[in-house]
Amino acid sequence: TASAGEFIPQAVANLLWALATMGEKADRQLLEAMQRRATASAGEFKSQNVANLLWSLAAMDNIFDKDLTVLVDHLAARILELRDQFSVAHKRQLHQWILACELGLASGAFLPEGVARVKQTIGVDCLEAFSGQATHESQLQREVAAAVRSAGLEVEIEVEYRDARS
């Protein structure tokens, strides 16, 4: 059995990404262990690891945790180091993270300084990557539409907004 201290950056990012993708949240003990390991090895993270980890924290509503400030600042510095290595998919993830941070800030949440530096440096690139993405209806949207149709009502086509903030 591996301890958290033995996890490579990819393993840290993949573990939290898998939980977030399933709609789960990491318990406090796991999150603290992964935070310690990620902070210690932040300089070893590849672009995909950074994007996956930050997206995961946003998806699990952990981006506003003051205990994660050091980790987020370390990863923000790593983003700036790797800024030319992020794929379009990774930039989409980073845009979602930045957007989640902005929404939290509007609600009075505390955000690490690194978030603003990332947005200022590559935020536009991330927004453009996200805005250029084709949209597809979700399983939930299909299920709701089917229920509405089964009730004898018409379903209108959803309007697609291109500002990537909706």
Side-chain angles (χ1 to χ4, degrees):
T1 307
S3 71
E6 297 172 2
F7 275 40
I8 61 173
Q10 182 181 2
V12 173
N14 287 353
L15 174 63
L16 294 177
W17 177 87
L19 287 170
T21 300
M22 294 185 304
E24 299 292 330
K25 292 188 178 193
D27 68 24
R28 192 80 204 153
Q29 187 176 4
L30 175 63
L31 189 61
E32 287 173 0
M34 293 297 102
Q35 179 256 335
R36 282 190 303 275
R37 182 62 188 136
T39 300
S41 61
E44 300 169 29
F45 272 67
K46 294 181 180 175
S47 58
Q48 180 178 1
N49 309 143
V50 174
N52 283 348
L53 181 55
L54 290 173
W55 177 86
S56 300
L57 293 176
M60 293 188 292
D61 292 327
N62 288 112
I63 54 174
F64 309 116
D65 188 332
K66 286 188 178 185
D67 292 336
L68 296 176
T69 300
V70 173
L71 171 61
V72 171
D73 280 338
H74 278 54
L75 292 177
R78 189 69 175 147
I79 289 170
L80 300 179
E81 292 171 10
L82 301 173
R83 72 174 149 219
D84 296 329
Q85 297 179 30
F86 287 94
S87 70
V88 171
H90 301 147
K91 289 177 182 178
R92 289 176 185 154
Q93 285 181 304
L94 291 175
H95 173 71
Q96 292 173 328
W97 168 69
I98 291 167
L99 183 59
C101 291
E102 289 177 339
L103 291 172
L105 187 59
S107 302
F110 167 81
L111 291 177
E113 292 178 16
V115 177
R117 287 193 307 271
V118 168
K119 183 179 178 190
Q120 183 179 28
T121 306
I122 67 166
V124 171
D125 289 343
C126 295
L127 172 62
E128 288 173 358
F130 192 85
S131 298
Q133 173 178 328
T135 59
H136 304 283
E137 62 186 22
S138 70
Q139 179 64 32
L140 177 60
Q141 288 171 315
R142 289 190 292 276
E143 290 171 5
V144 169
V148 169
R149 284 188 196 102
S150 70
L153 301 171
E154 288 186 35
V155 176
E156 293 183 32
I157 297 175
E158 183 176 329
V159 176
E160 181 180 335
Y161 294 95
R162 300 306 293 171
D163 73 355
R165 290 183 179 90
S166 58

